[in-house]
Amino acid sequence: MWVIWLERNNRIFEGIEASVEDLWEKVRFWTAVWVYKTKSFEQFSFLDLSSNWRLLCNVV
């Protein structure tokens, strides 16, 4: 949600629009940052989490 809120602010106040692909990259990156040190994801490196979205989706 934070990425969407920042994008909204950029569009309203700065007149800058990111592409959908860029937004998804930001969502994947920040999700990897947030889960990196959690127990469920401890077997993965940060590089794995940030570059391979399927790892984030398949771990329960």
Side-chain angles (χ1 to χ4, degrees):
M1 294 306 293
W2 185 52
V3 171
I4 294 169
W5 180 72
L6 290 175
E7 177 63 16
R8 171 207 170 265
N9 285 350
N10 281 336
R11 289 179 183 207
I12 291 171
F13 301 115
E14 305 295 331
I16 301 169
E17 290 187 28
S19 69
V20 173
E21 292 81 16
D22 288 341
L23 291 174
W24 274 114
E25 277 299 313
K26 290 176 185 178
V27 168
R28 285 193 290 266
F29 173 79
W30 285 111
T31 302
V33 168
W34 292 327
V35 302
Y36 175 59
K37 290 294 185 180
T38 64
K39 191 168 183 81
S40 297
F41 294 91
E42 65 187 3
Q43 72 270 25
F44 301 109
S45 71
F46 180 77
L47 181 59
D48 289 337
L49 291 171
S50 61
S51 65
N52 190 347
W53 181 247
R54 293 183 195 281
L55 289 175
L56 294 171
C57 296
N58 293 328
V59 175
V60 183

